[in-house]
Amino acid sequence: MPHPLDCEIRSDQRTDDPLRPTRILIAEDEVLVGYTLQLLLMSEFDCEVLGPFMRVCDAQRAVLENEIDFAILDVRLRDGEIYPVADILFQRNIPFVFHSGHAEEEAIGAAYDGAPLLDKPASDSAIVRAIREALVEPFKVSTPEMTSRDRAR
Amino acid sequence: MPISASEPASIGSTHLPYGPTPVPGLADEFAKLVALGALEPLAETERSDGFWLWDLERPEACFFSADLLKALGYDPHERAQSVLDIGTIAFVEDAERVRANVVSRTESHDPINAQMMRCMEKNGTMRLVRCLAYAIRSEGVPIRILGSMRLVPCATGDELTSRLSDILTLSREAIIVWSAHCGVRRWSSGAESLYGITEAAVKGKAHFPTLKPRFPIDWERIEARVRNGETWSGEVSWTRPDGTVIVTETQLQRFSIRCGETLFLQIDHDITPQVRLAERQHILTRELRHRVKNLFAVIRSLVRLSASGQDDVPALVRDLDNRIAALAAAHVVSLGYQTNDGAPLQEVLQAVLGPYPASGEALRLDGPSVWVPQEKITPLGLILNELATNALKYGGWASHSGHVEVAWTLTRDDGPDGPTRITLSWREENPDFKPPAEVAVGFGTRLLQMSSAQLGAEVVRTWHPSGLLCTFTFDISAPSET
């Protein structure tokens, strides 16, 4: 399918890139936003996209059943908050960013060793930059001892 | 240890029964002391409430006379021989102070040393007692303290003049007078209604354990300041016996000090409604901010997706304008219902579709009143807009004699608590209708599909002789929502 976004695909330059994600999960309950994100990631990283998932339960299943190397997580989905998925990713040392319009959730990243929060709506360049940075420097500590609830406090 | 002394103990010229013969118990000892006139030095103008005899050689043993125990609310018969640990009745630190003072008067056999001592009544209330006592010595060493006690009338309560009492009764504010040891002395009718506790129920008791106040700073710091004479005020939240939490603007000041006991004056003004309103406003603002940010994200996506592969700029502008207008119309309806997330379906339909038909007759709405939850407003608005745009180009609104009928019915799948499902049909009637040739799938179609997915709707799209019939079936309220 020809790419619907007017992004220049330069995948030939990136095939050797060790930091290029190959499979990204998107959790986003606003379908249009999720679709735009999907197109952006596919064009920018030439990668596979899982989702966008509108429900935590679906995203959770996808995380458990697939190898992924990055995730973009909206915080509030139809059936609740995304923390169970973030917990699994954190335990597996898989980097992710939160993508949310809730400013008061700024503290949530701290609970996951500084997982970044992209304030929605975020520009394409901000999203791409956040992903690249997270891939270069994933979590500094990989031994979560608290539950997500503790960390969220 | 019973006393055996080479020189008999004495008060002035009276020899006391401490000699070679051991005395069996403090109660008997007290009886003998009475017989020997040992109480005479304790005689006062006012009658005392009773006597006590403290064995300094066994400081845990103290005899309290039956009338004294009775005055403090105890049943003397319950107490074997009325010999108790001093700490059962008196505050130990006060008793120690009395002992130190009495013992220090080595020179004088004239006993008396008047002191205030705090005692506990049977019901746990603190009472102040005035205490006269002297030491009984053996070879100059104090071995007993003999004293009288007189309960101080609860002066703290009496201190409140009748005029103040009137104010307490008339004021609708909660006014409380209390001390750390005596508990609540006064509890105004305002306090009764604010806290749901009667004065009778709380008098003489501490009210903090019941009402679990939460102060903005440590209570110890507030207490120290108030004891020091400062006035403290701030917001305090209290949990009433029925579990409801109220917030007060509370003022605390030192009312008086009697016998080392600080009386607090506490005035509570109920500000719960204002606090709740502010909280509600905060939540609304936060929710609104989130909605606006989300909408901007959706609009940006709409722009990006609408523009892809579209070279016809005027057409692009028109499509985009329609889509954004539809989103705006749908959300403006929901903004009118601040107290509840979402909007009534009928109003959303009217707002989004209203601008399209040439006349009001050409849009027919029919169905029961039903509430559209907030998260379904965006996809519903976009779907309706795509359908309306198509109806204007090819369908029910393409000719003046056509119309569109939107009808909906509600069903409940799993009993009264199950989700409400709505079946919404979009039916176009156009006398000049010709089924359209298959056209390439554009973004409009994709937008319909994606929005239907977001709505969680099953979509059935058919052509009937005079136009399009499209039905959407989806849950309009999840079981968990109210």
Side-chain angles (χ1 to χ4, degrees):
Chain A
M1 165 173 108
H3 204 282
L5 289 186
D6 297 322
C7 295
E8 198 185 341
I9 301 177
R10 303 182 309 273
S11 56
D12 54 332
Q13 292 171 13
R14 288 193 296 268
T15 41
D16 298 334
D17 187 353
L19 293 174
R20 189 179 70 86
T22 56
R23 195 182 283 139
I24 296 182
L25 177 139
I26 299 175
E28 169 62 64
D29 69 349
E30 202 60 72
V31 170
L32 290 174
V33 176
Y35 183 52
T36 315
L37 263 179
Q38 179 181 358
L39 297 178
L40 169 71
L41 298 181
M42 283 164 60
S43 88
E44 186 65 29
F45 296 109
D46 190 23
C47 66
E48 191 185 330
V49 167
L50 285 181
F53 295 103
M54 287 191 277
R55 291 175 183 278
V56 177
C57 57
D58 296 333
Q60 193 169 359
R61 195 176 309 116
V63 166
L64 291 171
E65 290 173 359
N66 294 280
E67 288 285 319
I68 63 167
D69 40 23
F70 197 80
I72 298 184
L73 307 177
D74 188 6
V75 175
R76 271 205 234 165
L77 300 192
R78 278 305 126 74
D79 58 341
E81 294 181 326
I82 198 70
Y83 301 120
V85 175
D87 285 348
I88 298 169
L89 294 169
F90 189 66
Q91 277 158 17
R92 296 188 176 178
N93 216 16
I94 299 169
F96 58 89
V97 292
F98 291 108
H99 184 228
S100 171
H102 289 268
E104 55 286 353
E105 283 156 359
E106 269 164 20
I108 57 175
Y112 296 96
D113 260 323
L117 172 75
L118 286 168
D119 194 16
K120 197 193 275 184
S123 69
D124 290 358
S125 57
I127 292 167
V128 170
R129 192 168 52 240
I131 295 173
R132 288 198 183 284
E133 282 170 5
L135 286 169
V136 172
E137 191 181 357
F139 311 111
K140 288 143 240 163
V141 185
S142 58
T143 50
E145 282 163 10
M146 298 173 285
T147 66
S148 63
R149 192 170 292 273
D150 293 335
R151 273 182 266 122
R153 295 289 160 263
Chain B
M1 187 186 78
I3 308 117
S4 67
S6 55
E7 209 175 285
S10 61
I11 331 160
S13 57
T14 312
H15 289 275
L16 296 178
Y18 301 108
T21 320
V23 177
L26 277 178
D28 293 340
E29 194 181 307
F30 178 74
K32 288 195 174 136
L33 286 167
V34 173
L36 288 167
L39 298 185
E40 276 165 28
L42 303 172
E44 282 190 280
T45 45
E46 280 182 77
R47 201 181 154 275
S48 70
D49 288 299
F51 298 91
W52 57 301
L53 177 65
W54 189 11
D55 187 347
L56 299 182
E57 294 167 307
R58 296 182 296 151
E60 72 281 1
C62 185
F63 168 84
F64 294 92
S65 67
D67 44 359
L68 178 61
L69 289 176
K70 213 171 154 194
L72 288 168
Y74 297 90
D75 180 357
H77 303 296
E78 276 179 18
R79 309 283 181 180
Q81 298 205 305
S82 306
V83 178
L84 303 167
D85 186 333
I86 183 88
T88 312
I89 301 289
F91 280 57
V92 175
E93 61 267 37
D94 293 2
E96 286 298 338
R97 203 179 57 238
V98 170
R99 184 231 287 254
N101 284 343
V102 169
V103 165
S104 69
R105 294 168 63 99
T106 47
E107 294 308 311
S108 173
H109 273 274
D110 300 331
I112 311 313
N113 209 322
Q115 309 229 7
M116 297 309 280
M117 195 156 93
R118 289 169 299 174
C119 287
M120 294 299 273
E121 286 185 1
K122 173 98 187 292
N123 63 14
T125 317
M126 192 217 78
R127 284 300 294 271
L128 285 173
V129 296
R130 188 157 178 277
C131 200
L132 297 180
Y134 64 92
I136 296 169
R137 292 161 196 274
S138 174
E139 296 184 313
V141 178
I143 54 169
R144 301 285 186 275
I145 285 177
L146 179 64
S148 69
M149 284 190 189
R150 187 154 51 80
L151 271 61
V152 176
C154 227
T156 51
D158 304 338
E159 185 117 321
L160 304 175
T161 63
S162 60
R163 215 173 124 208
L164 189 52
S165 288
D166 286 348
I167 293 170
L168 283 177
T169 313
L170 291 172
S171 171
R172 279 161 55 208
E173 302 291 357
I175 302 175
I176 303 166
V177 180
W178 58 277
S179 76
H181 287 299
C182 293
V184 170
R185 309 309 315 181
R186 293 305 306 262
W187 186 263
S188 74
S189 54
E192 288 189 332
S193 55
L194 180 59
Y195 293 110
I197 301 174
T198 62
E199 182 172 37
V202 76
K203 206 162 184 176
K205 294 178 193 142
H207 60 309
F208 279 14
T210 312
L211 293 169
K212 303 176 195 70
R214 281 205 306 278
F215 296 94
I217 59 172
D218 284 347
W219 163 246
E220 286 71 25
R221 285 172 59 199
I222 299 171
E223 187 182 20
R225 281 166 56 179
V226 175
R227 281 187 189 282
N228 226 13
E230 286 178 46
T231 297
W232 180 86
S233 62
E235 276 184 28
V236 185
S237 73
W238 311 81
T239 307
R240 301 202 296 189
D242 65 6
T244 53
V245 174
I246 56 171
V247 183
T248 60
E249 174 68 38
T250 287
Q251 208 182 72
L252 272 162
Q253 47 186 282
R254 193 174 70 188
F255 186 68
S256 68
I257 307 175
R258 295 280 297 176
C259 317
E261 179 77 342
T262 303
L263 266 188
F264 293 92
L265 174 65
Q266 176 187 333
I267 302 173
D268 297 331
H269 178 64
D270 185 13
I271 56 165
T272 312
Q274 293 95 306
V275 170
R276 295 284 173 265
L277 182 68
E279 284 171 359
R280 174 87 192 136
Q281 271 169 346
H282 178 71
I283 292 169
L284 275 177
T285 310
R286 196 178 55 188
E287 190 50 43
L288 201 59
R289 195 167 54 217
H290 177 234
R291 247 189 240 178
V292 168
K293 289 166 91 173
N294 219 39
L295 260 178
F296 273 117
V298 168
I299 289 168
R300 284 190 59 217
S301 292
L302 266 182
V303 173
R304 304 285 297 276
L305 297 170
S306 302
S308 71
Q310 174 61 277
D311 299 326
D312 181 350
V313 173
L316 166 63
V317 170
R318 188 198 57 223
D319 287 352
L320 253 184
D321 187 40
N322 285 340
R323 284 166 187 155
I324 293 172
L327 268 184
H331 280 277
V332 163
V333 174
S334 80
L335 282 176
Y337 293 86
Q338 281 188 8
T339 50
N340 216 333
D341 272 358
L345 177 63
Q346 177 111 14
E347 289 186 35
V348 174
L349 290 167
Q350 192 63 53
V352 177
L353 301 175
Y356 285 92
S359 71
E361 274 296 291
L363 171 63
R364 299 173 190 180
L365 304 179
D366 181 29
S369 71
V370 61
W371 192 263
V372 183
Q374 185 62 37
E375 78 269 8
K376 297 200 191 291
I377 297 280
T378 291
L380 189 62
L382 291 174
I383 287 171
L384 292 171
N385 177 65
E386 293 310 311
L387 290 171
T389 317
N390 282 329
L392 203 60
K393 281 186 202 158
Y394 324 107
W397 290 328
S399 81
H400 284 294
S401 49
H403 71 265
V404 172
E405 183 183 289
V406 183
W408 61 97
T409 54
L410 303 176
T411 50
R412 231 176 246 276
D413 288 352
D414 316 312
D417 295 329
T420 302
R421 280 181 83 72
I422 184 169
T423 302
L424 183 142
S425 69
W426 172 279
R427 188 187 176 89
E428 298 180 5
E429 293 284 348
N430 177 4
D432 311 326
F433 175 73
K434 293 186 202 74
E438 279 304 314
V439 288
V441 174
F443 175 64
T445 310
R446 182 101 181 87
L447 184 56
L448 260 177
Q449 290 166 350
M450 287 194 293
S451 297
S452 301
Q454 182 163 0
L455 209 53
E458 290 166 33
V459 185
V460 179
R461 191 181 159 99
T462 54
W463 300 105
H464 66 101
S466 48
L468 173 71
L469 172 63
C470 201
T471 61
F472 299 83
T473 308
F474 55 97
D475 287 350
I476 195 113
S477 66
S480 60
E481 290 170 43
T482 49

